[in-house]
Structure formats: structure tokens, C-alpha cells
Amino acid sequence: MTDDSLRYNGTSDLYSEEDIMLRIHGLRISFGDFEALHGIDLDLPKGKLIGLIGPNGCGKSTMMKCISKINKGWTGTISIDGQDTAGMRPIDVARCVANVPAEPGPTFGMSVMDLVMMGRYPFVNKVWWESPDDEKAVREALRYFGLDHYRRKQLSLLSSGEKQRALIAKAYVQEPKVMLVDEPTSHLDMKYKLDVMEYLQTMARESDMTVLVAEHDISLMARYCDLCVIMKKGQIVGFGDPKKVVTAQLIRDVYEVDARVGTDEDGEIYVLPKRAVSD
């Protein structure tokens, strides 16, 4: 299958206008002579956990950075809940888009509560001083993500799974309409992988939020995500119910790997890589 035949032509026919939270049309960005995204068209509904999968360098992180306006110089349109982000200030974008990195970065002795409270910064007027409402929102988030008993503990003393939950809690108190999560399970053992994905799935459904997760574990994405977006070489090559779009042929075309794709006794998809495809 050629790259042209893999190209995906948009998703607007799958959902009604009122269901769409994030709309991307004609998104392109280049770095020097290299065009990283080639006219992305994508409509993502609210209240869904959406997996973003594809090989390294396919444009996943680049697209997410365009959505949050970290990347500059892109062309096309990105709108959130019907509002074009082109004219939005960074503070306005932060009020509707939250980012969850794979790692917290340097924490300098910061406590869990300090980190999560940082998620309230977009709502600060003039001088920062957390209000009772801010503290209430943070404490509720800490309880929701099972971290309240760690609130005074230094982040550096938490396990990888606990740190990831703290990062998600920080994004959650930002009250976003769209949450962008970058490889949330990359450093986690099996138990914490499942915990994190269950939190994200529940949060998307209960908060009517669009949660877009970039992840390499295709089996995990297929199990927890309502929808999957598949990228290759800066373009979208598939979109839909993971049980329908994740196939052995797609894995071969996108990852250049022969794989067995099957379902277990519970009807969940699994992907078992077998061998790299020879040139």
C-alpha cells in the first residue's frame, strides 16, 4: 500500500457539529526545508479518549504542540469548541488546552500540592495568591486521583506512576476542554499503565473533555481508547474505532512490521509484533 493510498481525508462525517470539540483543517508546518505536517484534517469529539499512534518522527508531538500553540509558524486552522485559536492569547489557550508531559522535569523540592496548584495559574488575575476556590479544586483533584495523602510529599519521592497521576491532576484543575497527554505510560509497570489509562478514560467521559493521548503501546490504546488516530510521515492514515482500524495490514504499512492482531476472550484487541519487514 502506498503512502498516497494510506492518506486519510477527514472525519467530519462521523459526528455532528455540536459533538466536535477540536477541529483541525489544513494544518501544515515546516522546519527549514522539512515539512513535518502535510495538511492535517481532523475532527475530534468531546467526551472521548482518543489514542494518537504512529512511529517515531511521524508528527504526533508536532501536531500536539501546534494545538497548544507551543509550535509557531504553522498554517491552517485549529478551533476548540468553535473558537479559532489563531487570535487567542497564550493565557486564553491555557484556559482550554492542558498539556501532560511524560516527565515533570526539575521539581526543586516541590510538593505534590504545589505542582497541582500550578494548574490554576491560567485563572490568576494580577498577583498570584491561591483562593479558597483554587485550594478546593486542587484538594478535590488530589482525592479524585488518589493523591491526597501525598499532598505534602516531595514529587521526587513519588513512584513513576504517582508522578504521572500528579501531572494529570495538574492538567485537570486547569479545567481544559482539550487535554494533550504525551506518552503517559512510557516509564510505568503494568499495574500503573492500567491505572493511568483508566483515570484518563473516566476523566474524559465524566468531564465531557477531549483527551488526546500519544502512545506507543498499541494494545493499550486499542483497549482503552474510544477512537484512534494513526499517523505516518506527517499525515493521518487512519481514524476510527480501534477494533476496526487496527489491523495487521495497517501495522505493516505504518510500522513496517509483521504483527499478529487478534482478540482475547474478552473481545479486547492485542498486537503481537513478529518481525521487521525487509526492504
Side-chain angles (χ1 to χ4, degrees), residues 201-239:
Q201 184 186 66
T202 301
M203 182 179 60
R205 294 175 180 176
E206 292 184 349
S207 304
D208 217 20
M209 188 187 305
T210 299
V211 181
L212 183 61
V213 182
E215 179 60 66
H216 287 293
D217 190 329
I218 303 172
S219 296
L220 199 65
M221 292 294 96
R223 176 176 180 180
Y224 283 99
C225 291
D226 301 293
L227 299 164
C228 270
V229 179
I230 301 98
M231 295 187 69
K232 180 182 180 183
K233 295 182 178 179
Q235 61 188 32
I236 294 173
V237 297
F239 175 85

PDB file of all heavy atoms in Angstrom, residues 201-239:
ATOM      1  N   GLN A 201      -9.542   7.583  30.867  1.00  0.00           N
ATOM      2  CA  GLN A 201     -10.807   7.186  30.255  1.00  0.00           C
ATOM      3  C   GLN A 201     -11.993   7.725  31.059  1.00  0.00           C
ATOM      4  O   GLN A 201     -12.930   8.310  30.499  1.00  0.00           O
ATOM      5  CB  GLN A 201     -10.879   5.666  30.172  1.00  0.00           C
ATOM      6  CG  GLN A 201     -12.118   5.128  29.473  1.00  0.00           C
ATOM      7  CD  GLN A 201     -12.182   3.614  29.552  1.00  0.00           C
ATOM      8  OE1 GLN A 201     -12.339   3.048  30.638  1.00  0.00           O
ATOM      9  NE2 GLN A 201     -12.051   2.949  28.418  1.00  0.00           N
ATOM     10  N   THR A 202     -11.946   7.550  32.368  1.00  0.00           N
ATOM     11  CA  THR A 202     -13.032   8.019  33.224  1.00  0.00           C
ATOM     12  C   THR A 202     -13.143   9.533  33.186  1.00  0.00           C
ATOM     13  O   THR A 202     -14.247  10.092  33.113  1.00  0.00           O
ATOM     14  CB  THR A 202     -12.809   7.538  34.672  1.00  0.00           C
ATOM     15  OG1 THR A 202     -12.750   6.116  34.692  1.00  0.00           O
ATOM     16  CG2 THR A 202     -13.937   8.006  35.585  1.00  0.00           C
ATOM     17  N   MET A 203     -12.007  10.216  33.231  1.00  0.00           N
ATOM     18  CA  MET A 203     -11.990  11.677  33.228  1.00  0.00           C
ATOM     19  C   MET A 203     -12.614  12.230  31.951  1.00  0.00           C
ATOM     20  O   MET A 203     -13.408  13.170  31.985  1.00  0.00           O
ATOM     21  CB  MET A 203     -10.561  12.171  33.374  1.00  0.00           C
ATOM     22  CG  MET A 203     -10.404  13.672  33.436  1.00  0.00           C
ATOM     23  SD  MET A 203      -8.666  14.104  33.651  1.00  0.00           S
ATOM     24  CE  MET A 203      -7.948  13.387  32.176  1.00  0.00           C
ATOM     25  N   ALA A 204     -12.269  11.652  30.809  1.00  0.00           N
ATOM     26  CA  ALA A 204     -12.816  12.128  29.542  1.00  0.00           C
ATOM     27  C   ALA A 204     -14.328  12.003  29.536  1.00  0.00           C
ATOM     28  O   ALA A 204     -15.046  12.949  29.138  1.00  0.00           O
ATOM     29  CB  ALA A 204     -12.214  11.333  28.383  1.00  0.00           C
ATOM     30  N   ARG A 205     -14.835  10.886  29.987  1.00  0.00           N
ATOM     31  CA  ARG A 205     -16.274  10.643  29.938  1.00  0.00           C
ATOM     32  C   ARG A 205     -17.043  11.473  30.968  1.00  0.00           C
ATOM     33  O   ARG A 205     -18.111  12.008  30.662  1.00  0.00           O
ATOM     34  CB  ARG A 205     -16.547   9.151  30.144  1.00  0.00           C
ATOM     35  CG  ARG A 205     -16.009   8.314  28.983  1.00  0.00           C
ATOM     36  CD  ARG A 205     -16.144   6.827  29.205  1.00  0.00           C
ATOM     37  NE  ARG A 205     -15.619   6.083  28.058  1.00  0.00           N
ATOM     38  CZ  ARG A 205     -15.542   4.775  28.003  1.00  0.00           C
ATOM     39  NH1 ARG A 205     -15.946   4.034  29.019  1.00  0.00           N
ATOM     40  NH2 ARG A 205     -15.055   4.185  26.924  1.00  0.00           N
ATOM     41  N   GLU A 206     -16.496  11.597  32.171  1.00  0.00           N
ATOM     42  CA  GLU A 206     -17.210  12.325  33.215  1.00  0.00           C
ATOM     43  C   GLU A 206     -17.128  13.834  33.034  1.00  0.00           C
ATOM     44  O   GLU A 206     -18.044  14.554  33.438  1.00  0.00           O
ATOM     45  CB  GLU A 206     -16.659  11.940  34.597  1.00  0.00           C
ATOM     46  CG  GLU A 206     -16.974  10.507  34.998  1.00  0.00           C
ATOM     47  CD  GLU A 206     -16.500  10.177  36.390  1.00  0.00           C
ATOM     48  OE1 GLU A 206     -15.733  10.993  36.976  1.00  0.00           O
ATOM     49  OE2 GLU A 206     -16.874   9.109  36.912  1.00  0.00           O
ATOM     50  N   SER A 207     -16.034  14.331  32.441  1.00  0.00           N
ATOM     51  CA  SER A 207     -15.834  15.774  32.295  1.00  0.00           C
ATOM     52  C   SER A 207     -16.214  16.291  30.910  1.00  0.00           C
ATOM     53  O   SER A 207     -16.086  17.488  30.649  1.00  0.00           O
ATOM     54  CB  SER A 207     -14.360  16.126  32.572  1.00  0.00           C
ATOM     55  OG  SER A 207     -13.959  15.666  33.843  1.00  0.00           O
ATOM     56  N   ASP A 208     -16.664  15.403  30.014  1.00  0.00           N
ATOM     57  CA  ASP A 208     -17.012  15.797  28.649  1.00  0.00           C
ATOM     58  C   ASP A 208     -15.833  16.476  27.956  1.00  0.00           C
ATOM     59  O   ASP A 208     -15.993  17.416  27.188  1.00  0.00           O
ATOM     60  CB  ASP A 208     -18.228  16.726  28.652  1.00  0.00           C
ATOM     61  CG  ASP A 208     -19.143  16.465  27.460  1.00  0.00           C
ATOM     62  OD1 ASP A 208     -19.048  15.372  26.876  1.00  0.00           O
ATOM     63  OD2 ASP A 208     -19.930  17.355  27.110  1.00  0.00           O
ATOM     64  N   MET A 209     -14.645  16.003  28.274  1.00  0.00           N
ATOM     65  CA  MET A 209     -13.394  16.558  27.783  1.00  0.00           C
ATOM     66  C   MET A 209     -12.881  15.713  26.614  1.00  0.00           C
ATOM     67  O   MET A 209     -13.150  14.517  26.550  1.00  0.00           O
ATOM     68  CB  MET A 209     -12.371  16.530  28.932  1.00  0.00           C
ATOM     69  CG  MET A 209     -11.054  17.231  28.694  1.00  0.00           C
ATOM     70  SD  MET A 209      -9.908  16.887  30.095  1.00  0.00           S
ATOM     71  CE  MET A 209     -10.858  17.426  31.515  1.00  0.00           C
ATOM     72  N   THR A 210     -12.165  16.335  25.692  1.00  0.00           N
ATOM     73  CA  THR A 210     -11.474  15.597  24.647  1.00  0.00           C
ATOM     74  C   THR A 210     -10.053  15.332  25.127  1.00  0.00           C
ATOM     75  O   THR A 210      -9.292  16.278  25.354  1.00  0.00           O
ATOM     76  CB  THR A 210     -11.439  16.393  23.328  1.00  0.00           C
ATOM     77  OG1 THR A 210     -12.776  16.622  22.884  1.00  0.00           O
ATOM     78  CG2 THR A 210     -10.681  15.634  22.254  1.00  0.00           C
ATOM     79  N   VAL A 211      -9.705  14.072  25.311  1.00  0.00           N
ATOM     80  CA  VAL A 211      -8.377  13.695  25.800  1.00  0.00           C
ATOM     81  C   VAL A 211      -7.645  12.977  24.684  1.00  0.00           C
ATOM     82  O   VAL A 211      -8.060  11.894  24.247  1.00  0.00           O
ATOM     83  CB  VAL A 211      -8.466  12.809  27.054  1.00  0.00           C
ATOM     84  CG1 VAL A 211      -7.065  12.462  27.558  1.00  0.00           C
ATOM     85  CG2 VAL A 211      -9.265  13.505  28.161  1.00  0.00           C
ATOM     86  N   LEU A 212      -6.571  13.596  24.210  1.00  0.00           N
ATOM     87  CA  LEU A 212      -5.771  13.045  23.112  1.00  0.00           C
ATOM     88  C   LEU A 212      -4.454  12.531  23.680  1.00  0.00           C
ATOM     89  O   LEU A 212      -3.680  13.296  24.259  1.00  0.00           O
ATOM     90  CB  LEU A 212      -5.516  14.126  22.060  1.00  0.00           C
ATOM     91  CG  LEU A 212      -4.739  13.719  20.796  1.00  0.00           C
ATOM     92  CD1 LEU A 212      -5.481  12.641  20.024  1.00  0.00           C
ATOM     93  CD2 LEU A 212      -4.499  14.939  19.918  1.00  0.00           C
ATOM     94  N   VAL A 213      -4.206  11.237  23.532  1.00  0.00           N
ATOM     95  CA  VAL A 213      -3.059  10.579  24.148  1.00  0.00           C
ATOM     96  C   VAL A 213      -2.126  10.037  23.080  1.00  0.00           C
ATOM     97  O   VAL A 213      -2.518   9.180  22.275  1.00  0.00           O
ATOM     98  CB  VAL A 213      -3.512   9.416  25.058  1.00  0.00           C
ATOM     99  CG1 VAL A 213      -2.310   8.778  25.742  1.00  0.00           C
ATOM    100  CG2 VAL A 213      -4.504   9.903  26.097  1.00  0.00           C
ATOM    101  N   ALA A 214      -0.890  10.526  23.047  1.00  0.00           N
ATOM    102  CA  ALA A 214       0.134   9.982  22.160  1.00  0.00           C
ATOM    103  C   ALA A 214       0.825   8.834  22.887  1.00  0.00           C
ATOM    104  O   ALA A 214       1.329   9.015  23.998  1.00  0.00           O
ATOM    105  CB  ALA A 214       1.144  11.055  21.779  1.00  0.00           C
ATOM    106  N   GLU A 215       0.840   7.665  22.268  1.00  0.00           N
ATOM    107  CA  GLU A 215       1.323   6.477  22.980  1.00  0.00           C
ATOM    108  C   GLU A 215       1.840   5.461  21.974  1.00  0.00           C
ATOM    109  O   GLU A 215       1.354   5.374  20.838  1.00  0.00           O
ATOM    110  CB  GLU A 215       0.159   5.886  23.795  1.00  0.00           C
ATOM    111  CG  GLU A 215       0.470   4.632  24.576  1.00  0.00           C
ATOM    112  CD  GLU A 215       1.566   4.813  25.590  1.00  0.00           C
ATOM    113  OE1 GLU A 215       1.377   5.561  26.564  1.00  0.00           O
ATOM    114  OE2 GLU A 215       2.626   4.190  25.395  1.00  0.00           O
ATOM    115  N   HIS A 216       2.854   4.671  22.380  1.00  0.00           N
ATOM    116  CA  HIS A 216       3.415   3.635  21.517  1.00  0.00           C
ATOM    117  C   HIS A 216       2.813   2.252  21.759  1.00  0.00           C
ATOM    118  O   HIS A 216       2.956   1.369  20.916  1.00  0.00           O
ATOM    119  CB  HIS A 216       4.934   3.558  21.708  1.00  0.00           C
ATOM    120  CG  HIS A 216       5.673   4.708  21.088  1.00  0.00           C
ATOM    121  ND1 HIS A 216       5.735   4.902  19.727  1.00  0.00           N
ATOM    122  CD2 HIS A 216       6.363   5.728  21.646  1.00  0.00           C
ATOM    123  CE1 HIS A 216       6.434   5.997  19.465  1.00  0.00           C
ATOM    124  NE2 HIS A 216       6.830   6.513  20.613  1.00  0.00           N
ATOM    125  N   ASP A 217       2.164   2.069  22.899  1.00  0.00           N
ATOM    126  CA  ASP A 217       1.593   0.765  23.224  1.00  0.00           C
ATOM    127  C   ASP A 217       0.233   0.636  22.533  1.00  0.00           C
ATOM    128  O   ASP A 217      -0.791   1.091  23.042  1.00  0.00           O
ATOM    129  CB  ASP A 217       1.451   0.622  24.742  1.00  0.00           C
ATOM    130  CG  ASP A 217       1.092  -0.791  25.180  1.00  0.00           C
ATOM    131  OD1 ASP A 217       0.409  -1.490  24.403  1.00  0.00           O
ATOM    132  OD2 ASP A 217       1.474  -1.185  26.295  1.00  0.00           O
ATOM    133  N   ILE A 218       0.229   0.018  21.355  1.00  0.00           N
ATOM    134  CA  ILE A 218      -0.992  -0.043  20.553  1.00  0.00           C
ATOM    135  C   ILE A 218      -2.060  -0.898  21.224  1.00  0.00           C
ATOM    136  O   ILE A 218      -3.254  -0.566  21.179  1.00  0.00           O
ATOM    137  CB  ILE A 218      -0.680  -0.591  19.148  1.00  0.00           C
ATOM    138  CG1 ILE A 218       0.385   0.271  18.474  1.00  0.00           C
ATOM    139  CG2 ILE A 218      -1.939  -0.624  18.281  1.00  0.00           C
ATOM    140  CD1 ILE A 218       0.891  -0.286  17.163  1.00  0.00           C
ATOM    141  N   SER A 219      -1.677  -1.982  21.860  1.00  0.00           N
ATOM    142  CA  SER A 219      -2.657  -2.834  22.541  1.00  0.00           C
ATOM    143  C   SER A 219      -3.360  -2.063  23.647  1.00  0.00           C
ATOM    144  O   SER A 219      -4.581  -2.191  23.836  1.00  0.00           O
ATOM    145  CB  SER A 219      -1.961  -4.074  23.116  1.00  0.00           C
ATOM    146  OG  SER A 219      -1.415  -4.876  22.096  1.00  0.00           O
ATOM    147  N   LEU A 220      -2.611  -1.257  24.384  1.00  0.00           N
ATOM    148  CA  LEU A 220      -3.188  -0.458  25.462  1.00  0.00           C
ATOM    149  C   LEU A 220      -4.158   0.574  24.892  1.00  0.00           C
ATOM    150  O   LEU A 220      -5.250   0.792  25.421  1.00  0.00           O
ATOM    151  CB  LEU A 220      -2.068   0.233  26.243  1.00  0.00           C
ATOM    152  CG  LEU A 220      -2.389   0.748  27.639  1.00  0.00           C
ATOM    153  CD1 LEU A 220      -2.716  -0.404  28.577  1.00  0.00           C
ATOM    154  CD2 LEU A 220      -1.213   1.547  28.190  1.00  0.00           C
ATOM    155  N   MET A 221      -3.752   1.233  23.798  1.00  0.00           N
ATOM    156  CA  MET A 221      -4.627   2.209  23.156  1.00  0.00           C
ATOM    157  C   MET A 221      -5.914   1.548  22.657  1.00  0.00           C
ATOM    158  O   MET A 221      -7.003   2.081  22.831  1.00  0.00           O
ATOM    159  CB  MET A 221      -3.909   2.866  21.978  1.00  0.00           C
ATOM    160  CG  MET A 221      -2.747   3.754  22.332  1.00  0.00           C
ATOM    161  SD  MET A 221      -3.221   5.250  23.246  1.00  0.00           S
ATOM    162  CE  MET A 221      -2.931   4.694  24.931  1.00  0.00           C
ATOM    163  N   ALA A 222      -5.768   0.397  22.041  1.00  0.00           N
ATOM    164  CA  ALA A 222      -6.934  -0.286  21.485  1.00  0.00           C
ATOM    165  C   ALA A 222      -7.916  -0.695  22.583  1.00  0.00           C
ATOM    166  O   ALA A 222      -9.127  -0.730  22.362  1.00  0.00           O
ATOM    167  CB  ALA A 222      -6.498  -1.507  20.689  1.00  0.00           C
ATOM    168  N   ARG A 223      -7.393  -0.990  23.767  1.00  0.00           N
ATOM    169  CA  ARG A 223      -8.274  -1.413  24.854  1.00  0.00           C
ATOM    170  C   ARG A 223      -9.033  -0.247  25.462  1.00  0.00           C
ATOM    171  O   ARG A 223     -10.228  -0.365  25.747  1.00  0.00           O
ATOM    172  CB  ARG A 223      -7.456  -2.119  25.938  1.00  0.00           C
ATOM    173  CG  ARG A 223      -8.305  -2.484  27.141  1.00  0.00           C
ATOM    174  CD  ARG A 223      -7.578  -3.266  28.193  1.00  0.00           C
ATOM    175  NE  ARG A 223      -8.473  -3.571  29.302  1.00  0.00           N
ATOM    176  CZ  ARG A 223      -8.122  -4.249  30.387  1.00  0.00           C
ATOM    177  NH1 ARG A 223      -6.898  -4.719  30.495  1.00  0.00           N
ATOM    178  NH2 ARG A 223      -8.989  -4.476  31.345  1.00  0.00           N
ATOM    179  N   TYR A 224      -8.351   0.880  25.691  1.00  0.00           N
ATOM    180  CA  TYR A 224      -8.961   1.961  26.473  1.00  0.00           C
ATOM    181  C   TYR A 224      -9.545   3.101  25.642  1.00  0.00           C
ATOM    182  O   TYR A 224     -10.438   3.807  26.117  1.00  0.00           O
ATOM    183  CB  TYR A 224      -7.935   2.536  27.449  1.00  0.00           C
ATOM    184  CG  TYR A 224      -7.712   1.655  28.645  1.00  0.00           C
ATOM    185  CD1 TYR A 224      -6.611   0.795  28.703  1.00  0.00           C
ATOM    186  CD2 TYR A 224      -8.598   1.659  29.710  1.00  0.00           C
ATOM    187  CE1 TYR A 224      -6.410  -0.032  29.795  1.00  0.00           C
ATOM    188  CE2 TYR A 224      -8.408   0.831  30.807  1.00  0.00           C
ATOM    189  CZ  TYR A 224      -7.311  -0.001  30.845  1.00  0.00           C
ATOM    190  OH  TYR A 224      -7.128  -0.828  31.915  1.00  0.00           O
ATOM    191  N   CYS A 225      -9.054   3.306  24.430  1.00  0.00           N
ATOM    192  CA  CYS A 225      -9.466   4.495  23.677  1.00  0.00           C
ATOM    193  C   CYS A 225     -10.770   4.262  22.923  1.00  0.00           C
ATOM    194  O   CYS A 225     -11.015   3.183  22.386  1.00  0.00           O
ATOM    195  CB  CYS A 225      -8.368   4.914  22.703  1.00  0.00           C
ATOM    196  SG  CYS A 225      -6.906   5.552  23.541  1.00  0.00           S
ATOM    197  N   ASP A 226     -11.588   5.303  22.882  1.00  0.00           N
ATOM    198  CA  ASP A 226     -12.823   5.258  22.105  1.00  0.00           C
ATOM    199  C   ASP A 226     -12.509   5.329  20.610  1.00  0.00           C
ATOM    200  O   ASP A 226     -13.218   4.738  19.795  1.00  0.00           O
ATOM    201  CB  ASP A 226     -13.726   6.430  22.493  1.00  0.00           C
ATOM    202  CG  ASP A 226     -14.074   6.417  23.972  1.00  0.00           C
ATOM    203  OD1 ASP A 226     -14.782   5.491  24.397  1.00  0.00           O
ATOM    204  OD2 ASP A 226     -13.628   7.327  24.700  1.00  0.00           O
ATOM    205  N   LEU A 227     -11.467   6.084  20.282  1.00  0.00           N
ATOM    206  CA  LEU A 227     -11.073   6.297  18.891  1.00  0.00           C
ATOM    207  C   LEU A 227      -9.557   6.280  18.806  1.00  0.00           C
ATOM    208  O   LEU A 227      -8.874   6.565  19.793  1.00  0.00           O
ATOM    209  CB  LEU A 227     -11.582   7.649  18.382  1.00  0.00           C
ATOM    210  CG  LEU A 227     -13.095   7.868  18.362  1.00  0.00           C
ATOM    211  CD1 LEU A 227     -13.405   9.354  18.216  1.00  0.00           C
ATOM    212  CD2 LEU A 227     -13.740   7.081  17.235  1.00  0.00           C
ATOM    213  N   CYS A 228      -9.045   5.964  17.642  1.00  0.00           N
ATOM    214  CA  CYS A 228      -7.607   6.034  17.396  1.00  0.00           C
ATOM    215  C   CYS A 228      -7.333   6.857  16.145  1.00  0.00           C
ATOM    216  O   CYS A 228      -8.044   6.736  15.148  1.00  0.00           O
ATOM    217  CB  CYS A 228      -6.998   4.641  17.212  1.00  0.00           C
ATOM    218  SG  CYS A 228      -6.431   3.874  18.745  1.00  0.00           S
ATOM    219  N   VAL A 229      -6.308   7.708  16.229  1.00  0.00           N
ATOM    220  CA  VAL A 229      -5.783   8.442  15.086  1.00  0.00           C
ATOM    221  C   VAL A 229      -4.423   7.831  14.770  1.00  0.00           C
ATOM    222  O   VAL A 229      -3.573   7.730  15.652  1.00  0.00           O
ATOM    223  CB  VAL A 229      -5.616   9.943  15.404  1.00  0.00           C
ATOM    224  CG1 VAL A 229      -5.040  10.686  14.196  1.00  0.00           C
ATOM    225  CG2 VAL A 229      -6.934  10.556  15.848  1.00  0.00           C
ATOM    226  N   ILE A 230      -4.222   7.414  13.530  1.00  0.00           N
ATOM    227  CA  ILE A 230      -2.953   6.795  13.142  1.00  0.00           C
ATOM    228  C   ILE A 230      -2.231   7.727  12.187  1.00  0.00           C
ATOM    229  O   ILE A 230      -2.827   8.195  11.205  1.00  0.00           O
ATOM    230  CB  ILE A 230      -3.174   5.420  12.476  1.00  0.00           C
ATOM    231  CG1 ILE A 230      -3.918   4.473  13.422  1.00  0.00           C
ATOM    232  CG2 ILE A 230      -1.843   4.796  12.089  1.00  0.00           C
ATOM    233  CD1 ILE A 230      -5.393   4.365  13.199  1.00  0.00           C
ATOM    234  N   MET A 231      -0.962   8.021  12.483  1.00  0.00           N
ATOM    235  CA  MET A 231      -0.167   8.925  11.672  1.00  0.00           C
ATOM    236  C   MET A 231       1.035   8.218  11.071  1.00  0.00           C
ATOM    237  O   MET A 231       1.581   7.275  11.655  1.00  0.00           O
ATOM    238  CB  MET A 231       0.310  10.124  12.495  1.00  0.00           C
ATOM    239  CG  MET A 231      -0.803  11.023  12.989  1.00  0.00           C
ATOM    240  SD  MET A 231      -0.179  12.538  13.784  1.00  0.00           S
ATOM    241  CE  MET A 231       0.503  13.410  12.345  1.00  0.00           C
ATOM    242  N   LYS A 232       1.434   8.692   9.895  1.00  0.00           N
ATOM    243  CA  LYS A 232       2.661   8.239   9.255  1.00  0.00           C
ATOM    244  C   LYS A 232       3.200   9.388   8.407  1.00  0.00           C
ATOM    245  O   LYS A 232       2.462   9.975   7.603  1.00  0.00           O
ATOM    246  CB  LYS A 232       2.412   7.015   8.377  1.00  0.00           C
ATOM    247  CG  LYS A 232       3.678   6.500   7.687  1.00  0.00           C
ATOM    248  CD  LYS A 232       3.382   5.313   6.783  1.00  0.00           C
ATOM    249  CE  LYS A 232       4.668   4.816   6.108  1.00  0.00           C
ATOM    250  NZ  LYS A 232       4.411   3.704   5.174  1.00  0.00           N
ATOM    251  N   LYS A 233       4.464   9.713   8.601  1.00  0.00           N
ATOM    252  CA  LYS A 233       5.159  10.713   7.791  1.00  0.00           C
ATOM    253  C   LYS A 233       4.366  12.014   7.654  1.00  0.00           C
ATOM    254  O   LYS A 233       4.202  12.558   6.575  1.00  0.00           O
ATOM    255  CB  LYS A 233       5.489  10.138   6.412  1.00  0.00           C
ATOM    256  CG  LYS A 233       6.478   8.982   6.467  1.00  0.00           C
ATOM    257  CD  LYS A 233       6.821   8.468   5.078  1.00  0.00           C
ATOM    258  CE  LYS A 233       7.843   7.335   5.155  1.00  0.00           C
ATOM    259  NZ  LYS A 233       8.181   6.795   3.815  1.00  0.00           N
ATOM    260  N   GLY A 234       3.872  12.512   8.790  1.00  0.00           N
ATOM    261  CA  GLY A 234       3.252  13.824   8.805  1.00  0.00           C
ATOM    262  C   GLY A 234       1.837  13.898   8.296  1.00  0.00           C
ATOM    263  O   GLY A 234       1.316  14.996   8.071  1.00  0.00           O
ATOM    264  N   GLN A 235       1.186  12.763   8.138  1.00  0.00           N
ATOM    265  CA  GLN A 235      -0.205  12.792   7.710  1.00  0.00           C
ATOM    266  C   GLN A 235      -0.998  11.725   8.450  1.00  0.00           C
ATOM    267  O   GLN A 235      -0.440  10.774   8.997  1.00  0.00           O
ATOM    268  CB  GLN A 235      -0.319  12.592   6.206  1.00  0.00           C
ATOM    269  CG  GLN A 235       0.218  11.281   5.691  1.00  0.00           C
ATOM    270  CD  GLN A 235       0.261  11.235   4.169  1.00  0.00           C
ATOM    271  OE1 GLN A 235       0.469  12.255   3.516  1.00  0.00           O
ATOM    272  NE2 GLN A 235       0.062  10.062   3.600  1.00  0.00           N
ATOM    273  N   ILE A 236      -2.313  11.902   8.467  1.00  0.00           N
ATOM    274  CA  ILE A 236      -3.193  10.934   9.108  1.00  0.00           C
ATOM    275  C   ILE A 236      -3.555   9.866   8.090  1.00  0.00           C
ATOM    276  O   ILE A 236      -3.994  10.167   6.987  1.00  0.00           O
ATOM    277  CB  ILE A 236      -4.450  11.630   9.659  1.00  0.00           C
ATOM    278  CG1 ILE A 236      -4.059  12.587  10.790  1.00  0.00           C
ATOM    279  CG2 ILE A 236      -5.452  10.596  10.172  1.00  0.00           C
ATOM    280  CD1 ILE A 236      -5.183  13.438  11.297  1.00  0.00           C
ATOM    281  N   VAL A 237      -3.369   8.603   8.486  1.00  0.00           N
ATOM    282  CA  VAL A 237      -3.629   7.498   7.565  1.00  0.00           C
ATOM    283  C   VAL A 237      -4.770   6.604   8.038  1.00  0.00           C
ATOM    284  O   VAL A 237      -5.119   5.643   7.364  1.00  0.00           O
ATOM    285  CB  VAL A 237      -2.348   6.662   7.347  1.00  0.00           C
ATOM    286  CG1 VAL A 237      -1.273   7.514   6.698  1.00  0.00           C
ATOM    287  CG2 VAL A 237      -1.835   6.051   8.656  1.00  0.00           C
ATOM    288  N   GLY A 238      -5.340   6.921   9.202  1.00  0.00           N
ATOM    289  CA  GLY A 238      -6.466   6.139   9.692  1.00  0.00           C
ATOM    290  C   GLY A 238      -7.103   6.798  10.890  1.00  0.00           C
ATOM    291  O   GLY A 238      -6.443   7.520  11.647  1.00  0.00           O
ATOM    292  N   PHE A 239      -8.407   6.589  11.042  1.00  0.00           N
ATOM    293  CA  PHE A 239      -9.135   7.165  12.172  1.00  0.00           C
ATOM    294  C   PHE A 239     -10.391   6.335  12.400  1.00  0.00           C
ATOM    295  O   PHE A 239     -11.068   5.940  11.447  1.00  0.00           O
ATOM    296  CB  PHE A 239      -9.529   8.609  11.868  1.00  0.00           C
ATOM    297  CG  PHE A 239     -10.381   9.251  12.940  1.00  0.00           C
ATOM    298  CD1 PHE A 239      -9.800   9.845  14.042  1.00  0.00           C
ATOM    299  CD2 PHE A 239     -11.763   9.252  12.841  1.00  0.00           C
ATOM    300  CE1 PHE A 239     -10.572  10.427  15.035  1.00  0.00           C
ATOM    301  CE2 PHE A 239     -12.554   9.830  13.825  1.00  0.00           C
ATOM    302  CZ  PHE A 239     -11.957  10.420  14.921  1.00  0.00           C
TER     303      PHE A 239
END
